[in-house]
Amino acid sequence: MRGAFNDVSGSADIADDLADSKAEVIIQTASVDTRSEGRDEHLRSADFFDVETYPEIRFVSSAIDEVDEGSYIVTGELTIRDMTKTVSVPLELIGVETGPYGELRAGLEGSRRIDRKDWGVTWNTKLDSGGVLVSDKITLEFELSLIKNVAEAAPTDSSETAVENEASTETPEPVTEATPAPEADTAAPQPEAPESVTPTPAADEPAPPVPKAPESAASVDPKAEPAAEEFPPPPPVKSAETPAERPAEKAPEVKQSDSQPSGGGLGKLFDLR
């Protein structure tokens, strides 16, 4: 009697080193087909596969060896009715061809004889002639068509471009933070450092004498007119007394908020970071 399982699935992971390769086959026992409905129902019952309790037959490889050119031995664990035994299946490579849809296929065939009683399938009945209805020896035949699964290449170029774009966006940030008011602007101390103090002129000019009326950062140097137009003048504060005979000497520094760096050269600013 010949039959087949119509619902079979599985996969094979073929590594560069064949010893690291793996294969798995899953059979749905209810899909047994011997072209006889009455016989198939008996095979699905508890006398044989008991599909209600054990819906699957599973084979998981533990070793794949090449014994000759195109000849392989696949050793693994075969589980039937929750009983697992080690079996070795010889397979022959029939060929590798491209399918009608461009897929790469590999065909293999093999067979292996087993004793069904080793997996608890023991039902039988005697015949009038003295023999039994079902043989204990079962021949398993394998006809495999493996389809190569080509994984989609990850878009590495676009991800690298995104990283470069983020880096170029973040690069100007240290430059923006590294341009606070230089030492010459501290001649007019203020309780809080407004945003208008940031775009002040260069520090190489001496600090002017303290004016009578409070001035904004833009009035210290006439070159900073655009800054005076874009930012409102700071609130009036008490003018600090700075000796006129020492214009180049650094004026007393004012306490500033944690978010605004103190006046000084670029070296000091980077040291503060």
Side-chain angles (χ1 to χ4, degrees):
M1 182 192 68
R2 296 182 62 84
F5 292 100
N6 296 328
D7 191 349
V8 181
S9 62
S11 63
D13 185 5
I14 308 301
D16 293 336
D17 186 358
L18 196 59
D20 298 330
S21 301
K22 297 179 180 179
E24 182 179 21
V25 177
I26 301 173
I27 300 171
Q28 303 300 321
T29 52
S31 67
V32 63
D33 182 8
T34 63
R35 298 173 304 281
S36 172
E37 186 61 31
R39 184 167 53 207
D40 294 343
E41 288 297 329
H42 190 194
L43 291 173
R44 296 186 187 107
S45 69
D47 289 342
F48 291 94
F49 295 120
D50 194 1
V51 299
E52 296 294 334
T53 308
Y54 312 106
E56 291 181 351
I57 294 175
R58 186 179 296 264
F59 175 82
V60 179
S61 71
S62 56
I64 301 177
D65 300 314
E66 184 176 14
V67 295
D68 201 353
E69 185 68 25
S71 298
Y72 304 91
I73 296 291
V74 181
T75 303
E77 305 298 324
L78 178 61
T79 302
I80 304 175
R81 294 171 58 107
D82 274 358
M83 298 184 66
T84 302
K85 301 288 182 180
T86 301
V87 297
S88 296
V89 180
L91 292 177
E92 293 288 333
L93 179 64
I94 304 304
V96 178
E97 295 290 344
T98 302
Y101 300 102
E103 75 278 13
L104 188 64
R105 291 176 175 265
L108 298 101
E109 290 182 353
S111 63
R112 166 66 196 264
R113 196 176 189 187
I114 63 172
D115 190 336
R116 63 187 178 95
K117 292 187 297 184
D118 292 342
W119 282 270
V121 184
T122 58
W123 183 91
N124 218 328
T125 185
K126 292 183 179 180
L127 300 176
D128 294 339
S129 60
V132 292
L133 180 64
V134 183
S135 171
D136 292 336
K137 301 298 182 180
I138 305 296
T139 301
L140 305 178
E141 295 180 350
F142 303 91
E143 296 175 352
L144 307 177
S145 179
L146 305 182
I147 304 174
K148 185 176 182 180
N149 183 14
V150 181
E152 242 183 72
T156 54
D157 296 340
S158 60
S159 62
E160 291 176 0
T161 305
V163 172
E164 292 175 0
N165 292 338
E166 291 176 4
S168 61
T169 304
E170 296 174 356
T171 302
E173 292 182 6
V175 178
T176 303
E177 296 175 1
T179 56
E183 295 180 0
D185 297 331
T186 59
Q190 299 174 4
E192 294 181 359
E195 295 181 356
S196 60
V197 179
T198 303
T200 52
D204 55 351
E205 297 181 4
V210 179
K212 295 179 180 181
E215 297 179 354
S216 63
S219 64
V220 177
D221 190 357
K223 296 180 180 179
E225 290 178 2
E229 294 176 3
E230 295 178 2
F231 301 94
V237 295
K238 293 181 180 181
S239 59
E241 295 180 2
T242 305
E245 53 274 3
R246 294 184 298 174
E249 187 176 354
K250 181 179 179 181
E253 297 182 358
V254 181
K255 294 183 179 179
Q256 301 177 355
S257 62
D258 296 338
S259 60
Q260 181 71 17
S262 61
L266 291 176
K268 292 183 179 180
L269 289 173
F270 287 115
D271 290 341
L272 290 174
R273 293 187 186 191

